Amino acid sequence: MEDAINQAIGKASETVRHMRWFQVTETRGDIVDNKVAHWQVTIKVGFTLDE
């Protein structure tokens, strides 16, 4: 799950500057052959605006 969070923050950092915090609002994943194949997360990101 940590990898999914890091990937989401990395993607957001491509267009959002000055990120300060995040909150995981939803966690889910895919199951393949009765095992977790990968995690998915939905996050909120807090940031400060330029003046």
Side-chain angles (χ1 to χ4, degrees):
M1 187 166 61
E2 184 177 346
D3 186 48
I5 294 167
N6 284 325
Q7 287 185 29
I9 291 172
K11 185 66 174 174
S13 72
E14 293 175 9
T15 57
V16 179
R17 296 181 297 167
H18 309 299
M19 292 187 294
R20 302 290 183 218
W21 58 267
F22 73 92
Q23 176 184 4
V24 177
T25 59
E26 185 178 6
T27 306
R28 60 190 177 279
D30 288 332
I31 300 170
V32 176
D33 295 328
N34 297 319
K35 295 181 182 178
V36 175
H38 70 276
W39 291 92
Q40 299 172 325
V41 295
T42 303
I43 63 171
K44 291 182 180 180
V45 175
F47 58 93
T48 56
L49 298 174
D50 288 336
E51 292 193 32

